[in-house]
Amino acid sequence: MSEKEPIGVVGLGWVGLVTAACFAELGHRVIGREIEWDKVEALQRGELPFYEPGLQEIVERNRERLEFTTELEPLREAGIAFVCVGTPPTPSGDADLSAVHTAIEELGTDGPAVVMKSTVPVGTGRQIKTRHPGLTYVSCPEFLREGTAVSDFLQADRVVIGADRDDEPAADRVEAVYEPIGAPIVRTDVASAEMTKLASNAFLATKISFINEIANVCDEVDADVTEVARGMGLDPRIGPRFLSAGLGFGGSCFPKDTQALKILAGNSGYHFQLLSSVIEVNDLQKRRVLSKLKRHLGPLAGNRIALLGLAFKPDTDDMREASSLVLASRLQGEGATVSAYDPFAERNAREQLPQVEMAASAMDALEGADAAVLVTEWPEFGDLDWEEAAKRMKAPLIVDGRNFLDAEALRAAGFVYEAIGRPGANRPR
Ligand code: UGA
């Protein structure tokens, strides 16, 4: 048994399970508590409820250090407990904090120190401390990305730890458990820690909407957004990352957190104008593909369109706020038939896209299609036999919604190639 202090994790969704597994990897005994019995039973058998690269291996390697339970009692062994429950948006756009409040009530003021990982509105920590005098509370927002969560945890850019003065000893304990990963630690107050999380996601979402608008202008003025981003990104004040134009951002975080920050600002009397535009640009970006298709096909009714990829990004089976959902519905709204292939997200996608014909391979999805749209940049699409694909399709037209494919190779295979913000990509240089 390890000598490091046992750690509690409340809520074994994606954040909770990654957190639990990675602390076990760092040598801690971890008690993971989840209310859904099915989930706990599956985890006890070593089955993960979602796909995250590298996580299965870590869970297997640390089986002895990981305890999964529906009980509260075992958590009492831990000095600190990371709360990792969901905070989905309510119809008003505010975050639903009911799972957070239940977790706090269950842990109680005499239990382990509460370390909030769930993304919550700024001010939540203060409210909780007022509601529960004597509670030890630390804010420690998560910055993990789906698909790279394990390395994001173990090689974090930074760890933000926010606490009131009287909770400094608990914050020290949180800092100590993160110490082995060697990341810069930002010690601050609770509200600033909460805001750092929302502001980081809002800024990254802004960067994406900005480059998408540049791409839309590039389409009009015959410039290439990938060249523009390359030139911009070399300025260290801008940086090259999150400058890939495409079909807009999706997932469980950026759409929710940009909205949450906008609402939070609005509720406190400030109109966050920039963020409203970021959200609107993103909504419109998912639909722009239709006009590109129509330019070649005319009205879409009666056409068969193949979607390559459905997940909101590669290396995940997550369909939350995926651009494919809006795109497929819009195409069907115009009277097109939609076929699709995704190497991992098909099972999740099936429920949300019952009218879409799911294919067993990219080639099957392309069979007889009038056009294809690359929605998710899964690496296997880069290696597809595009000459064969051109023969299988009714007409070899593709809109590369992620500027991912080799335009020249596609042209050589006989395709009409359209991208996002690269009007020249379908002509020889
Ligand atoms: C995001 C943040 O990157 C994490 O730091 C944060 O912890 C997480 O949200 C969260 O709040 O939990 P994630 O949603 O997993 O992580 O995905 P990202 O890799 O950030 O991508 C989000 C979306 O932006 C995807 O749809 C992706 O396709 C899109 N994107 C990303 C672009 O369109 N262009 C880019 O240049 C980068």
Side-chain angles (χ1 to χ4, degrees), residues 142-146 197 201 242 244 249-250 253 312-313:
E142 62 92 10
F143 298 101
L144 310 172
R145 289 163 301 169
E146 286 186 35
K197 163 69 186 186
N201 273 1
F242 278 69
S244 301
F249 56 80
C253 305
F312 85 95
K313 67 174 191 178

Side-chain angles (χ1 to χ4, degrees), residues 70 99 176 185 206 209 222 236 265 276 370 373 386-387 393:
T70 52
I185 305 269
T206 304
S209 276
D222 207 8
S276 303
D370 296 278
V373 181
W386 287 103
E387 279 182 23
M393 290 175 72

Side-chain angles (χ1 to χ4, degrees), residues 104 114 116 124-125 128-129 135-139 162-163 167 190 194:
I104 304 271
V114 169
M116 189 57 64
T124 302
I128 289 176
K129 290 264 296 175
L135 183 81
T136 309
Y137 186 95
V138 178
S139 166
D167 291 331
V190 172
E194 292 167 341

